[in-house]
Amino acid sequence: MFSVFNKLSWFFKEHWIRYSVAITALIIVSFIDLIPPKLVGMTIDAIQYNQLTAARLTEIIMIFTGLIIISYAIMFLWDYNLFGGSLLLERKMRSNLMSHFLKMSPRFYSKNRTGDLMARSTNDLKAIMMTAGFGILTLVDSTVFMLFIILMMGFTISWPLTLAALIPMPIMAFIVHKYGKVIHTRFTEAQSAFSELNNYTLESARGVRVIRAFVQEKQDFDRFSNMTEKVFQKNKAVAKMEAFFEPSINILVGISYTIGLGYGALMVFENRISLGDLVSFNVYLGMLIWPMFAIGELINVMQRGNASIDRVDKVLSQQPDVQNPAKPAYVAVPEVIDFNHVSFSYPEAVGKQLDNIDLTIHRGETIGIVGKTGSGKTTLFKQLLREYVPPKGKLTINDVPIDRFTLESTRSWIGYVPQEHVLFSKTVKENLLFGCGEKSVEDIHHILESASLKEDIEALPKGLETLVGESGVTLSGGQKQRVSLARALLMDPEILILDDSLSAVDGKTEANIISHLRKERQGKTTLIAAHRLSAVKHADQIIVLEDGKITERGTHEQLMKQNGWYKEQFNIQQMESEV
Ligand code: ADP
């Protein structure tokens, strides 16, 4: 359980000054807190023996006031440093998680569900943060402060009385240990139930249109209710255990009091301690309640923190499966991309999704990649984007194997326009400038023209400054595609990849965009995957994929002479467009 401190030791080492100040201040305050009860006892004795003079009373009041002021200042010191520390830890862990998420490849996201990752970044971080703040407080209070009180009771009042009043303590330690274990298990279960719920909520919110279209609201709500119920039950189980725990401690404290008062009164009668001592003793016993509870709280916080840090570490310890090479190669411009007998299978898939691909792409060429859905077009692009471990065979850029480059360098060459466009909840302009920083207004307008987007943007209420995405204006599928295209064009990348990115625009607009692309992309490499063959007709080379294999290749004219899939498909599409 205490291993959580070990797991966080890197952080405590980094902020050792802050924690030294906080813990020292806590210990000093613990010591100062011991003085007032003793003063009360002494005053009572002075009253009893008629020794209390005005001067003595003034002195006692002065000491009291002084102690209050000193404690105030020192309490500020520990409070600020300790809880400030836990906020720092939260910030640190959160940015660690975020940078980890950004590094991870698609495989990680297919293994870990978004809702679960979110739960780990919120709930679990809070539990860890509690450990570094409240955990330390309870640790000091349940050890140092408790020891101080016991020593004060024993040495300044009476050891027999102290030991007698502390008889319930070992029982308490036992209970704390037992409850702690159960709380840990139940808390872990509650956290996983919350993760599941989170995931479900996210999916429902995203898929709300489909849910409505299929009239699944009730079923969805029922499933949601079941999950909420589960989270509720699991948390209730934790709360129940905690609720059992606190009264048990209370009973033991009550027994302590009874012994203290009964045996103490007897000792006063026998003149072994004074009346003032008895009063001080009982105040000390009262002061022991918090440290005893603090043990419980400590166990609680530690168990939760430990469970949470394990959950977070489990995410952080997953290495991205595509890593930068130790000694990266460098080339300024990718002149030749060569696929030589390249085969690839997805980690969890059966068979090959790319099978023995041979393809050479020279700088400045336009390559068309066509084939049925699921034939492997996106998979081919993913090899260049390096989302998975390198494929079998040789994939080189300027004769250097692609995995010898850093991910940043290969990706910086590529402007990728995916099938599933992603727009952020920002203005159109911010979405456009996403990958390239600042651009002049002329550049932006020029690109809008190339992506046939000018009129669409002008029709928006605030033009380029219109908010789009989840919280803004909803653009049509075709408009979103063209914004993603414009975003990639603004980067003016060495290699532009259009992954069926014009599927939602009409034929005329597509023709317009293609004719602009041909002009814009002169001298640079463009890879186009498309359903509509008219989008690749102009390409220098067209390949037809089927089940991950290249079945036909050539220019449009050459392919039209072969009696293959291309010709057949082209004729069908031609007829359709005429109709
Ligand atoms: P296309 O882009 O031509 O429509 P894809 O490259 O997306 O085709 O898919 C090729 C094949 O790989 C399909 O059979 C698809 O089911 C499979 N596939 C795609 N992505 C994954 C993945 N992440 N894991 C396993 N199989 C995948």
Side-chain angles (χ1 to χ4, degrees), residues 344-396:
F344 174 80
S345 308
Y346 283 103
E348 273 89 33
V350 281
K352 288 181 191 164
Q353 281 71 46
L354 286 183
D355 194 355
N356 214 8
I357 301 286
D358 282 315
L359 177 66
T360 308
I361 305 163
H362 294 276
R363 185 172 184 217
E365 280 183 344
T366 296
I367 307 290
I369 299 164
V370 296
K372 287 183 217 141
T373 309
S375 57
K377 302 180 291 290
T378 305
T379 311
L380 186 81
F381 294 143
K382 282 184 181 167
Q383 306 312 313
L384 293 176
L385 291 166
R386 299 181 60 195
E387 292 191 353
Y388 293 89
V389 285
K392 296 210 179 68
K394 263 168 80 181
L395 172 54
T396 57

Side-chain angles (χ1 to χ4, degrees), residues 183-230:
I183 291 177
H184 175 78
T185 327
R186 294 192 178 180
F187 180 70
T188 313
E189 284 172 13
Q191 289 292 78
S192 350
F194 177 72
S195 284
E196 254 176 63
L197 176 72
N198 231 353
N199 215 36
Y200 191 78
T201 315
L202 206 72
E203 276 181 13
S204 290
R206 269 207 209 123
V208 69
R209 286 200 196 102
V210 181
I211 291 173
R212 280 205 202 113
F214 284 79
V215 204
Q216 289 290 309
E217 291 98 328
K218 186 165 179 326
Q219 287 84 338
D220 194 64
F221 185 75
D222 289 345
R223 273 193 294 267
F224 181 78
S225 302
N226 283 341
M227 294 183 98
T228 329
E229 178 64 24
K230 192 167 156 202

Side-chain angles (χ1 to χ4, degrees), residues 359 366-368 536-537 539-544 550-560 562 566:
L359 177 66
T366 296
I367 307 290
V536 296
K537 204 175 145 196
D540 299 295
Q541 190 183 174
I542 301 168
I543 59 169
V544 178
I550 300 181
T551 50
E552 292 165 54
R553 65 167 80 216
T555 58
H556 172 73
E557 288 70 28
Q558 288 164 346
L559 287 172
M560 287 305 281
Q562 300 173 19
Y566 186 89

Side-chain angles (χ1 to χ4, degrees), residues 523-542:
K524 295 202 167 154
T525 311
T526 308
L527 313 181
I528 306 177
H531 262 278
R532 225 181 276 135
L533 302 184
S534 52
V536 296
K537 204 175 145 196
H538 68 288
D540 299 295
Q541 190 183 174
I542 301 168

Side-chain angles (χ1 to χ4, degrees), residues 304-324:
R304 287 174 178 221
N306 208 6
S308 287
I309 203 160
D310 285 347
R311 280 165 54 85
V312 170
D313 278 347
K314 215 167 170 182
V315 170
L316 286 178
S317 65
Q318 295 180 42
Q319 293 294 324
D321 40 4
V322 188
Q323 306 234 5
N324 277 335

